[in-house]
Amino acid sequence: MPGSGQQLKKLSLENGWLRVEVLPELGGNISSLFAKESSTEFLLQPSRPYSHPTRETKFEDADRSGWDECLPTVSATPDAPDHGDLWRESWRVVETPDGIELSCDCFSRPLRLTRTLTLETSMLNVIYRVENLSSEPVDFLWCAHPLLAVSAGDRVVLPSSVDRVRINSSRNQRLSGDEVPWPIASGMNLSIADLNIVDLSIVGSPDARTADKLFAGPLTANSCGIYRMQTHTGLLFRSHLATISYAGIWLCNGGWPEKEVGTERAAHTVAIEPTTSPCDSLDQAIKEGTAARIGPRGSLGWAMQLQTLAVSFQGFVRACNHPDNILL
């Protein structure tokens, strides 16, 4: 564990299109996903010096940047902490000629997550495997948790088949009900200036002080993405639909955390979170029958791809809906 002022180990993958950096000692965090053609950093950078969390650290008190993995839950349960176990732990590393393999064991469940990263032109390939280390079945919820760098006016793109999203949470009940239309949502508590409608696909100003967690799915086309208007570059997420058939959408325009510390401002970010369940709580996923389960000494694997595209916004929307984007 790195101490105060000690340099964190950084691993890099790089080709002519992308540079990816990983901090294995800091929860296996992918700290940078940089598209060279457009000089676009897609991951939110830290607003404070890195520090190693403990098992008691709250997520809002940590670095709040980059890409973590949430396992076995996102929201805290009586026996598993907020955002899961793995972002608090140091990960094991195996560097291969083609990429980087990282693994870590949960402490609240007998589970091991292995994540292998490789680059292929403008694509980051991510192969996942969750293993049950016990002789009993284990339920879990997994989601990728990439906090994305955004500016006002950037666009969140979901498959055209998505016309409604489930509300998991909404700061000050800005959005009301169980679900709302996508991308246009109405809400009971919106101001007159909002004209009682919100285009959820457009990233707002950090001064808006809004924060909404939504879920799309089950998806028939799991190609979601963020489009950076200033650099005309999009990041496209693709996942195995058989296992990862939902996507969480975290829209945070300065609305989280609710209490700012010192000069550090609340987050301005979007997270696109391919996930096994349409909720943040493992207990709720078990209740609803959407939790993943692995049998004794068994394992479950899936793949995900992230591709950077320097295209027009219309071209990015077409790419998001292209049938070849689906990982079967």
Side-chain angles (χ1 to χ4, degrees):
M1 178 182 300
S4 175
Q6 184 176 342
Q7 187 72 26
L8 284 166
K9 181 179 181 181
K10 180 185 294 184
L11 305 176
S12 296
L13 287 175
E14 189 167 359
N15 63 12
W17 291 265
L18 295 174
R19 183 175 67 247
V20 176
E21 295 178 348
V22 184
L23 303 174
E25 297 165 303
L26 199 70
N29 184 283
I30 300 176
S31 59
S32 177
L33 175 55
F34 185 79
K36 294 183 177 181
E37 182 178 2
S38 59
S39 296
T40 303
E41 173 58 66
F42 277 101
L43 292 176
L44 186 67
Q45 297 302 291
S47 59
R48 66 177 83 170
Y50 286 121
S51 61
H52 202 296
T54 69
R55 292 185 179 181
E56 289 72 40
T57 302
K58 295 180 180 179
F59 190 77
E60 60 264 31
D61 295 332
D63 302 297
R64 306 197 313 257
S65 64
W67 172 353
D68 301 300
E69 306 291 343
C70 296
L71 185 79
T73 188
V74 181
S75 60
T77 67
D79 58 354
D82 181 36
H83 283 74
D85 300 350
L86 301 182
W87 66 274
R88 297 167 164 85
E89 300 293 287
S90 182
W91 288 44
R92 297 176 294 273
V93 178
V94 176
E95 296 188 61
T96 70
D98 299 324
I100 303 171
E101 180 184 288
L102 303 105
S103 64
C104 189
D105 296 352
C106 291
F107 53 81
S108 68
R109 297 287 189 286
L111 296 173
R112 173 176 297 158
L113 178 66
T114 300
R115 180 180 68 183
T116 303
L117 309 174
T118 59
L119 296 182
E120 179 183 350
T121 62
S122 63
M123 231 163 3
L124 170 63
N125 295 311
V126 190
I127 305 297
Y128 291 94
R129 185 175 72 255
V130 177
E131 299 171 76
N132 179 357
L133 305 177
S134 76
S135 57
E136 300 292 334
V138 177
D139 294 320
F140 70 91
L141 179 161
W142 165 87
C143 89
H145 193 254
L147 295 175
L148 301 172
V150 291
S151 301
D154 290 348
R155 299 293 296 266
V156 177
V157 179
L158 300 183
S160 59
S161 57
V162 176
D163 58 7
R164 300 190 70 80
V165 288
R166 174 176 174 172
I167 301 173
N168 185 78
S169 62
S170 183
R171 186 174 188 260
N172 296 330
Q173 288 72 54
R174 182 176 83 109
L175 304 177
S176 58
D178 294 330
E179 58 180 27
V180 289
W182 176 274
I184 304 298
S186 61
M188 294 176 58
N189 299 314
L190 303 177
S191 69
I192 295 175
D194 291 313
L195 302 179
N196 206 39
I197 61 173
V198 176
D199 188 336
L200 296 172
S201 70
I202 298 179
V203 179
S205 163
D207 297 327
R209 301 288 289 167
T210 63
D212 307 303
K213 179 62 182 287
L214 312 169
F215 283 95
L219 298 169
T220 57
N222 198 1
S223 296
C224 307
I226 186 76
Y227 187 79
R228 305 297 310 277
M229 286 292 186
Q230 293 181 2
T231 60
H232 306 289
T233 307
L235 181 65
L236 190 67
F237 291 71
R238 306 184 187 100
S239 301
H240 270 136
L241 290 174
T243 305
I244 312 302
S245 56
Y246 299 95
I249 311 296
W250 169 236
L251 308 172
C252 183
N253 297 306
W256 176 89
E258 293 193 12
K259 293 183 179 180
E260 297 180 349
V261 179
T263 60
E264 185 176 28
R265 299 192 65 189
H268 185 222
T269 184
V270 165
I272 296 177
E273 306 177 9
T275 180
T276 54
S277 302
C279 53
D280 277 345
S281 166
L282 174 58
D283 289 348
Q284 184 178 353
I286 292 172
K287 182 179 179 181
E288 295 181 358
T290 61
R293 169 170 285 196
I294 302 179
R297 306 294 176 184
S299 65
L300 179 65
W302 62 89
M304 188 163 73
Q305 293 177 337
L306 286 81
Q307 184 175 14
T308 61
L309 296 171
V311 295
S312 67
F313 176 65
Q314 292 76 15
F316 186 70
V317 172
R318 288 194 295 270
C320 187
N321 286 283
H322 197 287
D324 289 347
N325 283 334
I326 302 173
L327 282 173
L328 300 176

